[in-house]
Amino acid sequence: MNRFRVSIRGKFGDLDDAARTALAGGDPFGVAFTERGTFTCDGSFSVFTFRVEIPAGPDDDEDDAGLAALAALDAHGHPYEVLKTAVTDMRDIKIRRKR
């Protein structure tokens, strides 16, 4: 299946204790592009990187993927401000095989 990989760099708004606990409980080595999305953040919970994998339909473009990634980020319910978004269309990735 075709996919986009989206990284969102951002700043958290005011997090409550439950949100801080949930974010602290994540596996720092389990960083991956998943359909639900994964967070990495600094120890002060001020900045974060959110990685998510978005299915790509035949007519979907990077803008569609970015909007879907923001919806996935919103689903986590944490207040945030986006600083930077990067979208990679995996359909464009060419794997070079050894000969």
Side-chain angles (χ1 to χ4, degrees):
M1 177 181 257
N2 296 319
R3 301 200 174 273
F4 291 98
R5 288 191 171 175
V6 183
S7 294
I8 299 173
R9 182 87 172 138
K11 295 188 322 185
F12 285 118
D14 291 331
L15 296 173
D16 60 19
D17 290 337
R20 288 176 182 274
T21 301
L23 290 165
D27 178 5
F29 300 107
V31 177
F33 288 90
T34 65
E35 286 191 21
R36 186 168 186 271
T38 58
F39 284 97
T40 54
C41 49
D42 66 351
S44 67
F45 299 103
S46 58
V47 295
F48 67 88
T49 300
F50 180 72
R51 293 172 180 86
V52 64
E53 192 166 71
I54 304 295
D59 296 327
D60 290 340
D61 61 14
E62 291 183 4
D63 290 336
D64 297 322
L67 292 173
L70 288 173
L73 179 57
D74 287 340
H76 287 274
H78 305 305
Y80 66 88
E81 174 187 335
V82 172
L83 300 175
K84 182 179 178 182
T85 302
V87 179
T88 302
D89 188 341
M90 300 307 290
R91 298 173 291 191
D92 295 337
I93 302 297
K94 305 291 185 229
I95 298 173
R96 299 175 87 190
R97 306 270 186 217
K98 284 187 175 182
R99 294 181 187 216

